[in-house]
Each structure stands twice: as structure tokens, then as C-alpha cells.
Amino acid sequence: YLERLLNDLSIRMTEMYRVPSFFAAFRNEVVPLLRDLPEIRIWHAGCATGEEVYSMAILIQEEGLAEKTKIYATDINEKALRSARKGAFPLE
């Protein structure tokens, strides 16, 4: 019952590049600071079904930082995480 309650109460709002201004600011203001680090770790807490996590992974790959980056994605909703693990999203 606890898992069912958590699934019903958790918010599963996510989409690819949901807040474009965040990703633009991250690319322009944060990525230059990350270039000199030997290792990068990014944590997406409450990742829902993972679209924003995949968006971040795409951005990190485009910026040539993927080799030294680990991205962690967590959520209390196991159903949402199962969907995120698939990595398959509607085209729209």
C-alpha cells in the first residue's frame, strides 16, 4: 500500500528541455566552469520519467564533457523510474 500511495502522491511532471531558459543558462554559465574540473557529478533528484535527465546527458555530450561526467537520477516513484530506465519517449 505504501508504494501505491507514493505513486499516487508523487508528481511526475517532466519533459525534454522542460525549462529552456535553465538549459541555456547551464550551457552558457555553468559549462565553462565545469571544463576545468577533473570529474563532474550531476544529481537529478525527483527525476520522474527521466526526460530532463536525458536532456542534460545530451547537453553534456554536445559540450564534450561526457567522458568525465556521471549523472545520477533518483525518484521515490518506482513506476516512473522503470519508465525512465527504458529511455523511450514520445516524439512530441
Side-chain angles (χ1 to χ4, degrees), residues 5 8 10 31 33-34 38 54 60 71-74 76 83-84 89:
L5 177 64
D8 288 343
S10 63
V31 166
L33 302 173
L34 299 177
Y54 282 94
I60 292 295
I71 300 176
Y72 302 90
T74 60
I76 62 170
S83 179
F89 307 106

Side-chain angles (χ1 to χ4, degrees), residues 1 9 11 17 25 28 33 48 53 59 61 64 72 74-75 84 87:
Y1 289 108
L9 293 178
I11 298 170
Y17 299 98
N28 296 326
L33 302 173
V53 181
L59 185 151
Q61 176 69 34
Y72 302 90
T74 60
D75 199 285

Side-chain angles (χ1 to χ4, degrees), residues 1-53:
Y1 289 108
L2 180 58
E3 183 178 346
R4 185 173 176 186
L5 177 64
L6 288 175
N7 286 338
D8 288 343
L9 293 178
S10 63
I11 298 170
R12 294 182 295 264
M13 176 183 231
T14 185
E15 61 186 63
M16 297 299 282
Y17 299 98
R18 180 166 58 111
V19 183
S21 59
F22 164 79
F23 286 95
F26 188 88
R27 185 185 299 267
N28 296 326
E29 298 175 32
V30 178
V31 166
L33 302 173
L34 299 177
R35 292 196 185 286
D36 294 330
L37 297 176
E39 181 181 42
I40 302 166
R41 294 181 184 196
I42 300 170
W43 178 28
H44 284 265
C47 72
T49 53
E51 284 92 331
E52 290 162 326
V53 181

